[in-house]
Amino acid sequence: MTHFLDTSCWDQNQVGRVINRQALNIDDDLFLAIHTPFNYLEFANEQRALPDPSETALLADLQRSARENRHAFVAIQGIPGTGKSNLIRWLYLRYMTERDPSERVLLIQRADNSLRNTLLRVLEIFKAEGRFQHERQLIERANTQLEGRSLLESILSSFHTIAVRVLEKQYLSGEPIASENIIENTPGFLLDQTVRAHLIKVRIEAIARQLVGAEERPDEMPEFEPDDFRLDIAALRSVRLSNYAEVRDFADELYDDEFTRRELANYLNRLMSDAIGSTLALTPSDLKRMFAELRKELRSRGETLVLFIEDITAFSGLDAGLVDVLADEHGGRDDICRLQSVIGITDYYYNVRFPDNMKDRLTLRVILPPPKANTSFLLDLAARHLNAMRVPPPVLTQWAQFTTSPETLPNACATCPARPRCHPAFSAIPLGGDDNQTVGLFPFNEQALLTMYDQLPDDQGQGKTPRAYLRDVLGFVLETHGPAVLDGSFPPAPDKVGSAFQPPPLRKPNQRNLLRALTPRDQKRIESLIGFWGDGTLDEYTADGMSMISGLSPTVFEAFRLPMITGEYSEAPAVVQVISSATKVTPPQEAVTVKRGKYFDEIELWLTTGAKLRSYGDLTKSLVSFVENAIDWDMHHVPPALRDERLAPSRFYIEGQSAKQISGVVYTLERKAETAQLLHALHELGTLSQSLPPELIGSHMATLAIWLQKHQKDLIAFVCRPEENSTSSPVEIVEMLAGLDVWGLWLAGYLPQETDSVESLFLALVKRSKLRWKPSDSRTDLWKRLSQGMERYYLGDVRTATTLPQEFIQALNQRQGDGKVAFLDAEFAFVAIERTAFQLSAHDLARLNPAKGTLWEIITIVHAQFSQYLQGVIDGEFAATNDLYVELNDLAGSDAPVAIFRAINEVVEAVRVTNRSIRFTVDSTLNATRLKETLRDLKHGVTSEDLPALIWISDAAPILALAMRLRNYLREYVAAVNSLQQSLSVMSGTQVSDAEQEVVQMTSDFNELLRRLDSLM
């Protein structure tokens, strides 16, 4: 009997190659092997709908249009990730196999990855015709513009130029595209150097990267967002130094007004295409004219043109002209050839950017929705990808060379010895409904795949896409846990199975007791198994003489090396098994010569002869980019400020170079084979990924993974240590930040008196991390001085690029998959706070000499200040509080506050009756009750144990302020009564009224009370 784990079911190195986000980045053989038919298309216009909602019907309609010499302008529309690229490429490949020799069929790929590469593809079209010299010059000049170092400034200057034209009513004068405020102020705003530097950083760089293909394209051109125009305080101060009042005022308005920021973003996005065209010196009109000339040339030769454009945004800046080209019909004209086109567009592009007057000129608009409940598509999709990971790449290549028939697709399961046990236990899917082509789902089963898909987040209500399914379910699980399947530690705990989806809850929570008899490790793994692979319960029943737990057979438990547990007996549900059969596998083809990167020889000479790397700068940039993106810094709790400072090319040194490095901490890569392999992998994957053979791509991916696994700990330590000869870890840094933040919260006066646990302290840190500090007028001078010195390190100002609370919170951030959603790792925070709260770090920070402006500098400064002054502040504050309490307590007996305030009111009223004056004003907000409560609160503070007293004093500013008011109020009254007594004593022996005699008597009776008040003076 063959065990599942006796041999590897798939090639781990093929996972990344097969699970590829962009359909046009992979070879035709692999593409055809994993392509899953789209049989759930929708049509926007019922009058133009096809009777069959399948891709084959769509292909047939295109072919019929060609035979009938009809114009075709087809849009494939869907949200990002639904498979538009996949469908368009399949249409192109199938169309090519049956095309007429007179048809020029071209595919413009999204894999070209930029407007620059798209223009080069268009240039090839015109070069192939052997003429069109002017058109070629226009395209080559546009590409030259994209290659220039001044591209960022050029783009921004183009926005300014067009904004000036709008202001002068030379452009778009008939359209209400923005308010007068926006139109009048934008040109000057875009000229300010501080504004330009800010906009380049937050938006223009992203636009430029998309144009030149410096990184993976998003599905839309990056657009301006309202917050792009809310300058930070430092930038705003710089703008306020401008000589132009209108720029200063407009910057202030943008800072304060969300509506103005949004209006400016919409305005500049409206100008985006024109600004890009202006930057290129190639306009949409130029593109339209060029294709018109091409169509005339093809018509003269009796040829036609068919275009498959995977993504309309590949023509960003020129897309309006392209739409005009594609909508131009040949009917009734004999000067241009027939044009058929299929373009991919997103919902956003169609609704916002596609011209309204062109929407009716689409001959067919096909909607590609998310698969939603189309489980057969999702399972077929997974099965084809799993099969491609199992079949050797040369076998797929040979299959594609002779036939692309799905019926003859090589099937790795056909000869697998584990198949008889694997397919019944883990399910097998008939590809395209063909029972003769069944592919097993191991290490998944149907339930696991559909449960994980169901647990994916619904992206803004738009649906869960095939891209997310492949990347976050199939790709993540196999890339992250693939080796664990082989060593018997799969599946992991429920919260570790995926990063983009959450584990489902048990359907019967009371059954959790059945797991408690297991070891903790097995308990978590079996919980994952029944939650994802099973039916979510621990129900046990018998089917075909076999005991089943959660719908899973003993074979499943055996495959994952888990103990077969005892469940809760129930009736057996209906069980459906999949029967599969085998197909033949074709032999592999011979190896071919592999083209290597242009730095290959240079790296080899560096390794073997000691030569220097001439391309040192490019290689270190690639290295830094890899380190920055490959390590989950959030998961390791490394504060962003440390990453920003350390992950720079100048901080990485490759042995043998003479380039001067920044002083301080540097990460050195030694001259050895391991480093050379790393450099080869980084360079060739970054520049030749489309032409490298799959086995070399797999080898490079393995090199990167192995190197990272070996050096990740060192890299994290490199980012965290304050100086070259010191050590530190993310845990220590977060603990330092937690300890300093607690003291900062205490000093700011925001430590609630009800703080009684680590959890409440954590909530206080999160809640108060961005608030201004409380006034400290009632505090001692030493407290005030320390507060003034520390405040900027906690709140930030023009001198500090970051703050301690900000870095503490961001170090706790844990990202949800690839999106923007994050949560705070409270458990990690609790440990850090518990270890450091109300203590100062034991680390010897005084010896450090950190770089200026870094997080380490802030930590050392704040730590030094607290070390020097904190105990004095605490002692002084408690001494002052105790003195205040003693003063008020010496005055008051059990009913003294009531007697005092009654006497105050009676004396003041008696003086008023005699028409005499007293230099004292009654404060109705102060009374006996407030005096009693203040004495009680002060007593609580000065008599509590150390930690409760420390917490009490932080939030005691209002109590201390009230106590001081009461003390000063009574002092003023004593002084007024003394003055009154002196005045009345002068009157003794003279004639006085009865009322004045009453005052004399009252003040005489008050002598004892006055003596008690003396202690307040």
Side-chain angles (χ1 to χ4, degrees):
M1 180 179 296
T2 300
H3 192 278
F4 290 90
L5 303 177
D6 288 343
T7 58
S8 177
C9 180
W10 65 91
D11 185 349
Q12 188 68 27
N13 293 326
Q14 294 299 316
V15 176
R17 170 177 173 262
V18 173
I19 307 293
N20 194 307
R21 283 187 61 184
Q22 297 189 16
L24 299 176
N25 275 355
I26 57 179
D27 295 332
D28 290 348
D29 54 353
L30 176 58
F31 172 81
L32 292 170
I34 63 177
H35 174 75
T36 305
F38 293 99
N39 296 322
Y40 54 91
L41 305 179
E42 298 176 1
F43 303 96
N45 190 330
E46 292 183 0
Q47 296 178 349
R48 300 179 185 178
L50 301 179
D52 179 5
S54 68
E55 59 184 27
T56 54
L58 178 59
L59 173 66
D61 186 68
L62 282 173
Q63 294 169 330
R64 185 166 52 251
S65 296
R67 291 194 300 270
E68 297 173 359
N69 197 32
R70 288 190 286 110
H71 174 77
F73 183 17
V74 180
I76 309 294
Q77 178 185 334
I79 65 172
T82 48
K84 300 183 297 296
S85 305
N86 201 299
L87 176 57
I88 290 174
R89 182 175 183 180
W90 181 86
L91 289 170
Y92 164 75
L93 291 174
R94 288 295 307 273
Y95 196 98
M96 283 290 291
T97 62
E98 303 176 25
R99 71 181 180 92
D100 187 275
S102 66
E103 291 180 308
R104 291 286 305 278
V105 185
L106 301 171
L107 174 66
I108 298 179
Q109 305 182 3
R110 186 175 189 266
D112 287 333
N113 210 38
S114 66
L115 178 59
R116 179 170 64 188
N117 290 337
T118 299
L119 290 176
L120 290 174
R121 182 77 174 106
V122 174
L123 182 61
E124 292 175 6
I125 299 173
F126 287 94
K127 282 184 176 180
E129 299 304 319
R131 50 189 300 270
F132 300 111
Q133 181 177 357
H134 176 67
E135 285 75 10
R136 294 201 304 269
Q137 289 175 346
L138 283 176
I139 298 173
E140 288 170 347
R141 182 175 64 183
N143 262 318
T144 300
Q145 290 294 105
L146 290 173
E147 293 172 354
R149 294 187 176 182
S150 59
L151 178 60
L152 299 176
E153 288 289 344
S154 296
I155 295 172
L156 201 48
S157 296
S158 294
F159 275 107
H160 171 261
T161 300
I162 296 173
V164 170
R165 291 179 60 200
V166 174
L167 177 62
E168 295 175 350
K169 302 188 184 303
Q170 297 176 7
Y171 179 68
L172 298 174
S173 58
E175 301 182 32
I177 59 174
S179 66
E180 290 185 7
N181 177 40
I182 296 295
I183 292 175
E184 290 175 358
N185 285 295
T186 298
F189 184 69
L190 294 180
L191 277 181
D192 185 90
Q193 291 303 311
T194 300
V195 172
R196 292 174 74 88
H198 171 78
L199 291 180
I200 285 174
K201 179 180 179 181
V202 300
R203 189 59 52 191
I204 301 298
E205 283 183 350
I207 295 172
R209 285 196 296 270
Q210 173 132 337
L211 292 176
V212 303
E215 59 182 23
E216 181 182 335
R217 291 173 59 93
D219 291 282
E220 302 289 350
M221 170 65 74
E223 293 190 337
F224 289 100
E225 298 178 0
D227 282 349
D228 292 347
F229 306 104
R230 195 172 195 266
L231 305 180
D232 58 41
I233 295 299
L236 194 61
R237 288 176 180 171
S238 178
V239 172
R240 286 171 180 164
L241 299 176
S242 169
N243 294 324
Y244 300 98
E246 59 272 19
V247 175
R248 298 196 301 267
D249 295 343
F250 191 52
D252 284 336
E253 180 181 351
L254 289 168
Y255 185 83
D256 295 329
D257 189 2
E258 165 73 18
F259 178 81
T260 304
R261 295 197 298 273
R262 188 171 300 280
E263 189 179 11
L264 179 57
N266 292 338
Y267 176 55
L268 291 182
N269 288 334
R270 172 65 179 80
L271 304 183
M272 178 81 72
S273 293
D274 300 290
I276 293 173
S278 176
T279 302
L280 301 176
L282 179 68
T283 67
S285 298
D286 292 329
L287 189 69
K288 183 177 180 181
R289 183 182 54 77
M290 291 160 54
F291 271 93
E293 292 297 320
L294 175 63
R295 293 177 69 182
K296 288 179 182 179
E297 174 67 18
L298 294 177
R299 178 69 179 86
S300 69
R301 301 205 302 253
E303 297 182 77
T304 61
L305 182 62
V306 185
L307 295 177
F308 292 88
I309 301 173
E310 182 264 344
D311 186 356
I312 190 71
T313 60
F315 285 85
S316 296
L318 303 173
D319 47 317
L322 179 64
V323 170
D324 276 344
V325 168
L326 303 180
D328 191 10
E329 299 187 30
H330 69 289
R333 299 174 59 181
D334 59 4
D335 62 331
I336 59 174
C337 73
R338 183 189 75 231
L339 172 61
Q340 292 179 283
S341 61
V342 180
I343 62 172
I345 59 174
T346 62
D347 292 351
Y348 172 84
Y349 186 92
Y350 180 80
N351 295 326
V352 176
R353 295 178 58 186
F354 199 89
D356 290 336
N357 62 332
M358 292 292 174
K359 291 179 178 178
D360 287 337
R361 299 181 68 176
L362 288 168
T363 58
L364 189 64
R365 181 158 66 97
V366 181
I367 308 297
L368 188 56
K372 298 178 182 176
N374 194 332
T375 57
S376 61
F377 173 83
L378 294 170
L379 296 174
D380 199 357
L381 184 66
R384 292 174 188 271
H385 281 76
L386 286 167
N387 185 58
M389 297 174 200
R390 296 165 180 159
V391 176
V395 175
L396 289 180
T397 301
Q398 190 168 11
W399 165 73
Q401 287 178 342
F402 292 98
T403 176
T404 57
S405 170
E407 292 78 14
T408 62
L409 176 67
N411 185 348
C413 290
T415 57
C416 177
R419 172 176 173 163
R421 302 184 65 214
C422 175
H423 285 201
F426 286 92
S427 316
I429 302 301
L431 300 184
D434 183 358
D435 288 338
N436 294 319
Q437 275 281 55
T438 55
V439 173
L441 297 181
F442 180 79
F444 304 94
N445 64 3
E446 292 185 16
Q447 186 66 43
L449 290 169
L450 298 179
T451 299
M452 293 175 191
Y453 174 78
D454 187 59
Q455 294 295 113
L456 287 172
D458 191 345
D459 186 14
Q460 300 178 352
Q462 294 182 326
K464 303 164 186 178
T465 64
R467 179 191 297 172
Y469 173 62
L470 290 174
R471 179 193 63 212
D472 298 329
V473 174
L474 211 66
F476 180 87
V477 172
L478 291 178
E479 286 186 319
T480 306
H481 306 302
V485 177
L486 302 180
D487 66 23
S489 58
F490 182 82
D495 60 337
K496 304 297 184 183
V497 174
S499 63
F501 54 84
Q502 297 298 316
L506 292 180
R507 289 171 51 197
K508 298 181 179 180
N510 59 313
Q511 291 184 338
R512 190 178 296 275
N513 292 331
L514 299 173
L515 297 174
R516 291 178 178 169
L518 303 170
T519 65
R521 181 173 179 271
D522 286 345
Q523 183 181 125
K524 289 294 185 182
R525 294 180 61 213
I526 289 181
E527 187 175 343
S528 291
L529 186 67
I530 63 176
F532 287 108
W533 280 257
D535 60 16
T537 73
L538 281 166
D539 290 350
E540 180 178 359
Y541 56 87
T542 301
D544 296 331
M546 182 166 47
S547 179
M548 308 286 284
I549 298 289
S550 195
L552 303 172
S553 69
T555 308
V556 175
F557 288 83
E558 177 193 349
F560 292 144
R561 297 180 183 172
L562 284 168
M564 185 68 176
I565 64 173
T566 301
E568 186 174 77
Y569 185 77
S570 65
E571 295 295 328
V575 177
V576 179
Q577 289 188 331
V578 179
I579 302 175
S580 56
S581 59
T583 57
K584 295 182 179 179
V585 179
T586 54
Q589 69 174 31
E590 296 181 1
V592 296
T593 303
V594 178
K595 178 184 177 181
R596 302 304 298 264
K598 65 178 182 179
Y599 298 157
F600 180 83
D601 292 340
E602 181 181 332
I603 295 171
E604 289 299 305
L605 287 173
W606 167 81
L607 175 64
T608 58
T609 69
K612 287 184 170 58
L613 291 168
R614 298 188 304 277
S615 306
Y616 176 69
D618 291 342
L619 293 171
T620 52
K621 287 178 182 177
S622 298
L623 173 63
V624 171
S625 178
F626 168 66
V627 171
E628 184 176 9
N629 292 287
I631 297 177
D632 189 341
W633 299 99
D634 285 343
M635 184 186 74
H636 293 287
H637 301 288
V638 179
L642 295 183
R643 310 177 214 165
D644 295 343
E645 194 257 330
R646 292 293 164 79
L647 297 181
S650 57
R651 291 282 189 187
F652 286 76
Y653 176 70
I654 301 175
E655 184 180 352
Q657 304 309 300
S658 58
K660 183 178 179 181
Q661 300 299 309
I662 191 170
S663 61
V665 184
V666 175
Y667 191 89
T668 299
L669 288 89
E670 299 177 355
R671 191 197 307 271
K672 53 186 180 180
E674 174 193 76
T675 305
Q677 292 170 1
L678 171 69
L679 298 178
H680 284 315
L682 290 172
H683 172 59
E684 293 182 356
L685 288 176
T687 59
L688 297 174
S689 59
Q690 297 180 42
S691 60
L692 290 176
E695 57 271 20
L696 186 56
I697 293 177
S699 174
H700 282 339
M701 296 298 291
T703 295
L704 296 181
I706 293 170
W707 185 87
L708 185 66
Q709 183 179 21
K710 180 178 180 180
H711 295 279
Q712 178 171 285
K713 185 176 180 181
D714 293 338
L715 287 164
I716 293 172
F718 152 70
V719 170
C720 292
R721 65 177 181 262
E723 61 178 11
E724 191 64 45
N725 297 320
S726 61
T727 59
S728 190
S729 69
V731 173
E732 292 171 331
I733 293 172
V734 174
E735 288 180 353
M736 290 181 195
L737 290 172
L740 295 177
D741 276 353
V742 168
W743 281 120
L745 193 69
W746 179 84
L747 192 63
Y750 280 119
L751 198 60
Q753 294 189 25
E754 62 272 17
T755 302
D756 58 358
S757 65
V758 171
E759 289 84 351
S760 59
L761 194 53
F762 170 67
L763 291 176
L765 288 173
V766 174
K767 181 179 180 180
R768 302 293 186 179
S769 63
K770 294 183 179 180
L771 295 180
R772 305 300 300 178
W773 287 20
K774 287 184 179 180
S776 55
D777 292 341
S778 61
R779 302 295 193 178
T780 61
D781 289 342
L782 190 56
W783 182 300
K784 294 176 185 177
R785 288 198 298 272
L786 186 59
S787 296
Q788 292 167 358
M790 291 294 96
E791 187 171 359
R792 73 184 181 97
Y793 299 111
Y794 289 89
L795 300 178
D797 63 10
V798 69
R799 298 170 293 176
T800 54
T802 187
T803 66
L804 294 175
Q806 174 186 351
E807 292 303 323
F808 176 63
I809 295 299
Q810 291 188 4
L812 299 176
N813 269 353
Q814 293 292 283
R815 196 66 52 192
Q816 292 287 305
D818 296 331
K820 296 182 178 179
V821 179
F823 67 93
L824 294 180
D825 189 344
E827 183 179 357
F828 187 84
F830 291 167
V831 174
I833 293 170
E834 188 173 27
R835 287 170 59 91
T836 62
F838 303 107
Q839 303 177 46
L840 285 174
S841 173
H843 289 269
D844 184 13
L845 300 180
R847 63 180 176 80
L848 299 181
N849 186 27
K852 189 172 181 60
T854 63
L855 176 61
W856 271 113
E857 183 193 33
I858 296 177
I859 290 176
T860 53
I861 290 174
V862 173
H863 183 271
Q865 292 292 302
F866 277 139
S867 297
Q868 184 173 357
Y869 299 112
L870 187 58
Q871 192 59 51
V873 168
I874 295 171
D875 293 343
E877 200 67 23
F878 275 112
T881 302
N882 188 70
D883 290 346
L884 186 57
Y885 170 68
V886 169
E887 286 183 301
L888 292 180
N889 193 55
D890 284 349
L891 164 69
S894 60
D895 62 346
V898 175
I900 290 172
F901 281 93
R902 183 187 302 120
I904 289 173
N905 293 329
E906 290 175 353
V907 169
V908 171
E909 177 61 22
V911 171
R912 185 187 65 79
V913 172
T914 65
N915 293 321
R916 291 185 175 275
S917 63
I918 183 171
R919 295 178 181 178
F920 178 77
T921 302
V922 174
D923 186 344
S924 60
T925 65
L926 299 179
N927 51 47
T929 300
R930 300 194 74 177
L931 178 57
K932 284 183 178 180
E933 291 176 349
T934 301
L935 287 168
R936 181 198 63 204
D937 290 340
L938 290 176
K939 180 179 180 180
H940 173 74
V942 300
T943 59
S944 297
E945 297 179 0
D946 291 346
L947 183 56
L950 196 63
I951 295 173
W952 179 88
I953 202 69
S954 171
D955 198 28
I959 299 172
L960 299 176
L962 178 59
M964 292 178 182
R965 282 185 60 203
L966 286 164
R967 180 187 62 186
N968 295 338
Y969 183 67
L970 294 177
R971 283 178 172 176
E972 291 173 7
Y973 178 72
V974 169
V977 168
N978 284 341
S979 176
L980 180 62
Q981 277 188 316
Q982 292 175 5
S983 174
L984 292 176
S985 65
V986 172
M987 295 169 53
S988 61
T990 63
Q991 188 65 31
V992 296
S993 67
D994 293 342
E996 289 172 333
Q997 286 286 3
E998 182 180 352
V999 172
V1000 171
Q1001 181 61 44
M1002 288 175 59
T1003 56
S1004 177
D1005 293 342
F1006 200 49
N1007 283 340
E1008 179 59 25
L1009 183 59
L1010 289 179
R1011 282 194 295 273
R1012 297 171 67 186
L1013 286 172
D1014 284 343
S1015 63
L1016 296 177
M1017 298 181 63

